[in-house]
Amino acid sequence: EAQVTQNPRYLITVTGKKLTVTCSQNMNHEYMSWYRQDPGLGLRQIYYSMNVEVTDKGDVPEGYKVSRKEKRNFPLILESPSPNQTSLYFCASSPRTGNYEQYFGPGTRLTVT
Amino acid sequence: AQTVTQSQPEMSVQEAETVTLSCTYDTSENNYYLFWYKQPPSRQMILVIRQEAYKQQNATENRFSVNFQKAAKSFSLKISDSQLGDTAMYFCAFMKLGIPFNKFYFGSGTKLNVKP
């Protein structure tokens, strides 16, 4: 089954404790992205990747890091989480050509206290 | 920069009736794609419908159809014969074709409640 998986689905942590949210896709997509969803703001792009070892900042990259060492994986790293990073996070992948549809993971609800 | 505006934060509709969700966008691009995504309480983002800007014909998927007005930069979603399962948050999205990356922009969402 074609899918994007994220782990964990829920996470409660404390300020300053490094964490990683994993993302993996099995569709051989070139493009992968991370978004955060906040009430009244829709989805905002954090980082994106065009292919292995090629990443770039989205609209709200501050406080986040990413890496793309393998085509299927695109982890999101919060090295020193703060309460303003409490949000719902989505990973998405899409093909470089074709229908351009983005396939989303199930979301990760992060709470930073 | 591209912007996507959904002016209706929340809407309600009776089961079996028709409802239209509005979306406008701002761009200087001529070639782009527009999408409507549905997010039910499960939080999963599900593609509802897609429209290519170069196509004049409005996209249709079963009970879902769009009214794409390119000159007015408007992309509304019509849901016919509303069902309880249509209760969800709906996001309008604009995709700009680019090198090296196609960039997506999302609206703030419209919460749709379908009432029995």
Side-chain angles (χ1 to χ4, degrees):
Chain A
E1 179 190 357
Q3 60 181 348
V4 178
T5 57
Q6 288 179 234
N7 282 293
R9 296 287 309 277
Y10 299 88
L11 180 60
I12 301 174
T13 190
V14 296
T15 299
K17 186 177 181 181
K18 181 179 179 179
L19 67 92
T20 299
V21 184
T22 64
C23 173
S24 183
Q25 51 96 3
N26 62 1
M27 295 167 279
N28 202 37
H29 286 163
E30 291 85 1
Y31 292 155
M32 296 187 75
S33 297
W34 275 103
Y35 295 89
R36 60 178 289 172
Q37 180 182 349
D38 301 289
L41 297 177
L43 278 75
R44 294 178 294 168
Q45 191 176 55
I46 302 171
Y47 268 95
Y48 59 92
S49 171
M50 293 74 80
N51 215 323
V52 176
E53 302 290 4
V54 184
T55 63
D56 205 350
K57 297 177 180 178
D59 300 313
V60 287
E62 294 77 20
Y64 305 95
K65 285 178 59 177
V66 294
S67 68
R68 187 99 180 267
K69 300 187 187 307
E70 302 169 282
K71 195 172 186 179
R72 62 183 293 126
N73 296 323
F74 190 44
L76 179 69
I77 303 158
L78 285 71
E79 296 212 327
S80 184
S82 62
N84 64 12
Q85 292 178 299
T86 292
S87 187
L88 178 59
Y89 291 87
F90 286 98
C91 179
S93 74
S94 59
R96 185 170 59 84
T97 58
N99 62 18
Y100 303 113
E101 176 185 349
Q102 284 203 106
Y103 295 79
F104 285 85
T108 295
R109 171 70 70 186
L110 172 65
T111 302
V112 183
T113 61
Chain B
Q2 277 62 222
T3 58
V4 179
T5 302
Q6 293 179 249
S7 59
Q8 306 148 314
E10 190 164 354
M11 298 184 71
S12 295
V13 64
Q14 290 295 133
E15 194 175 10
E17 293 187 347
T18 295
V19 63
T20 299
L21 281 59
S22 66
C23 173
T24 59
Y25 56 94
D26 184 24
T27 185
S28 58
E29 304 290 327
N30 192 50
N31 192 18
Y32 51 86
Y33 286 69
L34 294 161
F35 304 82
W36 277 99
Y37 279 88
K38 170 184 177 181
Q39 186 181 46
S42 67
R43 300 188 332 218
Q44 181 68 50
M45 294 286 285
I46 303 165
L47 178 66
V48 175
I49 201 163
R50 171 181 53 242
Q51 174 80 43
E52 295 91 334
Y54 64 86
K55 289 187 178 179
Q56 292 187 334
Q57 186 173 6
N58 289 325
T60 299
E61 288 287 342
N62 300 314
R63 298 182 295 107
F64 299 87
S65 61
V66 298
N67 182 5
F68 174 48
Q69 301 289 329
K70 191 172 183 178
K73 298 178 183 176
S74 172
F75 183 61
S76 60
L77 175 69
K78 185 171 83 171
I79 306 175
S80 304
D81 186 24
S82 296
Q83 301 176 359
L84 296 178
D86 295 334
T87 292
M89 182 74 84
Y90 287 82
F91 290 99
C92 178
F94 168 97
M95 189 199 80
K96 170 186 171 184
L97 288 165
I99 298 172
F101 188 72
N102 302 325
K103 186 139 169 62
F104 280 79
Y105 300 87
F106 285 83
S108 55
T110 295
K111 185 176 181 182
L112 178 65
N113 298 302
V114 180
K115 299 180 178 181

